[in-house]
Amino acid sequence: QAHRASEQQLQSRLRFERMPAETTKRFIDIPVDKLDAAIDQALGETAAFVGAVTASIFLFNEDLTLADNSHEWSATPGDSIHRGLQNVPAGLFGYYWSIIRKHEAVIVSSIEDLPPDANGERRWIQDHGFQPSLLLPILAQDDFLGALCFFGKTGGRMEWREDLVDLLWVFA
């Protein structure tokens, strides 16, 4: 039984390690009018693999004061609350911003992981419910452009496995 579980983990890991190459191949010579759909599809495949129910890309403006949700995938499309997030002030999520602007991952498995001074995040949770979150900075030649975000089920707890987080950096 232990051998079978170990073999399944290995197969799962191999599938995930092939994902960046397969995703990259999909984007080679893609027509511009199909790019957004391909990004959404890649978000969905990646989110489903890690067990997230939503995945988003937030891009910041040049002076890093505002972010727009440029792409999103949701396991239940009608449940999306992120798609309408445009011109979001960076300071609204001050705790997340303080970490991600240092080019580090934000990992929040449960509401208890938030420090007391995460005021913007706590206000969001009061209005929308808590979602376990993983945010990875999107960088281009060390310049911060945005965040690749994965979210678990509202009200739940989700452990973000370190090996999967390490592999997700490839997509950011």
Side-chain angles (χ1 to χ4, degrees), residues 16-166:
F16 190 74
E17 287 179 355
R18 284 191 293 253
M19 282 181 70
E22 292 169 5
T23 300
T24 301
K25 191 166 77 175
R26 182 183 311 143
F27 287 96
I28 295 174
D29 294 327
I30 190 169
V32 173
D33 64 326
K34 297 192 187 297
L35 186 59
D36 286 330
I39 292 171
D40 290 342
Q41 181 181 356
L43 281 174
E45 290 170 357
T46 308
F49 188 86
V50 300
V53 297
T54 306
S56 299
I57 295 175
F58 283 87
L59 298 177
F60 281 83
N61 64 355
E62 279 189 40
D63 64 0
L64 304 178
T65 57
L66 300 172
D68 289 339
N69 182 348
S70 67
H71 294 84
E72 180 182 66
W73 172 87
S74 181
T76 310
D79 289 349
S80 172
I81 57 173
H82 301 279
R83 182 63 85 181
L85 292 176
Q86 304 298 316
N87 295 313
V88 177
L92 181 65
F93 299 104
Y95 170 68
Y96 293 168
W97 179 237
S98 72
I99 295 171
I100 206 160
R101 73 176 178 204
K102 294 185 285 187
H103 304 180
E104 297 174 8
V106 175
I107 301 172
V108 182
S109 295
S110 73
I111 196 167
E112 290 81 25
D113 292 345
L114 288 174
D117 63 339
N119 298 320
E121 291 81 359
R122 290 186 186 282
R123 277 192 298 278
W124 176 267
I125 289 165
Q126 285 175 348
D127 292 343
H128 302 283
F130 171 77
Q131 285 184 282
S133 307
L134 169 62
L135 288 70
L136 299 168
I138 298 173
L139 307 170
Q141 297 178 341
D142 234 14
D143 289 332
F144 178 72
L145 302 177
L148 174 61
C149 310
F150 298 92
F151 303 96
K153 290 181 181 174
T154 300
R157 177 179 180 80
M158 184 169 179
E159 294 301 326
W160 300 97
R161 288 187 8 223
E162 187 175 342
D163 62 327
L164 291 181
V165 172
D166 289 345

